[in-house]
Amino acid sequence: MIHLHYHPGNASMAPHILLRELGAAFELLLVDRQRNAHKSPDYLKLNPNGLIPVLQDGDLVLYETAAILLHLADTHPQAELAPALGTPERAQFYKWLIWLTNTLQPALMAYFYPERWVAPGHETGAAEVKTCAEARVVELLEQLEQQLQNTSGPWLLGQRYSAADALAFMLCRWTRGLARPARSRPAIAAYLQRMLERPAVQQTLAAEGLAPPWV
């Protein structure tokens, strides 16, 4: 049995979506952030960084969202949620998955938690970080818009849905409160609507008790 330690709407959403896409048997284990459960001694034994998510697959304990997505895709090859190894398509899959987790997501984290990048109590500095992070997110969303405009199909990599789509959807969803959210761009807006129509996405939103607006 696979166990996913999650909190609604957090970085656990992408693995949650993928597990439902796979039709895998799994159990959700709530990490109550309101009670600071992700900083508890028991949770820190699973992820010493105190971050969500953690996936337990038998004896394997895995954290980092992109690593979890890759593990799930690799251990369920029949679902074809990642292109074949050694192909140009696989290389593009790696590029976009890592771009999402290593470029877009850090910019979003700086926007949501600017105080982490300045000295304690430095409110002016935190405000500057937040402003700069939002501007960076705008630039990065334009890159995503261009990719979706230029691709040959309805998904991030083209015709075939992949694990990268679950991560892209989650991060776009996080922008819904920005002045220029992801949905304000036509190609991304259409893409997000296609994602919302997938049963796995609807099931995830319902299971996590999330209310509209979803994106």
Side-chain angles (χ1 to χ4, degrees):
M1 173 68 76
I2 294 173
H3 296 87
L4 178 65
H5 297 258
Y6 87 107
H7 187 84
N10 278 214
S12 49
M13 174 178 275
H16 188 181
I17 291 171
L18 206 65
L19 284 164
R20 293 187 181 276
E21 292 282 359
L22 293 169
F26 71 97
E27 181 180 1
L28 290 173
L29 300 176
L30 177 66
V31 183
D32 191 345
R33 289 191 60 174
Q34 275 64 51
R35 297 179 180 274
N36 226 31
H38 57 307
K39 305 298 182 184
S40 70
D42 285 343
Y43 190 79
L44 290 174
K45 291 177 183 177
L46 300 173
N47 184 350
N49 302 300
L51 299 173
I52 301 167
V54 166
L55 184 90
Q56 291 178 278
D57 187 356
D59 293 333
L60 175 68
V61 177
L62 192 62
Y63 50 86
E64 298 296 338
T65 297
I68 293 171
L69 295 175
L70 283 167
H71 170 70
L72 292 173
D74 288 346
T75 52
H76 298 80
Q78 70 283 356
E80 297 184 329
L81 289 173
L85 285 169
T87 63
E89 291 78 14
R90 183 78 172 204
Q92 290 295 323
F93 169 73
Y94 286 144
K95 182 189 79 173
W96 282 105
L97 192 71
I98 292 169
W99 181 86
L100 288 163
T101 193
N102 201 45
T103 304
L104 179 56
Q105 187 169 345
L108 285 164
M109 296 302 287
Y111 171 80
F112 288 117
Y113 303 104
E115 68 281 358
R116 296 179 181 176
W117 278 265
V118 297
H122 190 356
E123 295 181 3
T124 301
E128 291 178 358
V129 169
K130 188 180 183 75
T131 298
C132 291
E134 185 169 11
R136 178 61 173 156
V137 170
V138 168
E139 293 175 358
L140 297 174
L141 289 175
E142 291 300 330
Q143 290 186 36
L144 187 60
E145 174 75 3
Q146 288 297 313
Q147 168 64 10
L148 291 168
Q149 287 179 355
N150 296 334
T151 190
S152 60
W155 307 114
L156 183 60
L157 302 180
Q159 291 295 324
R160 180 166 290 175
Y161 181 90
S162 77
D165 288 296
L167 185 54
F169 173 81
M170 181 189 81
L171 296 179
C172 285
R173 182 180 181 276
W174 288 1
T175 72
R176 65 194 184 281
L178 274 63
R180 288 193 62 204
R183 66 175 184 273
S184 66
R185 296 155 181 83
I188 297 179
Y191 169 74
L192 293 176
Q193 185 56 46
R194 290 191 292 272
M195 287 293 297
L196 285 169
E197 291 169 359
R198 294 186 73 87
V201 173
Q202 285 294 321
Q203 292 161 10
T204 298
L205 294 169
E208 296 194 8
L210 299 170
W214 290 308
V215 296

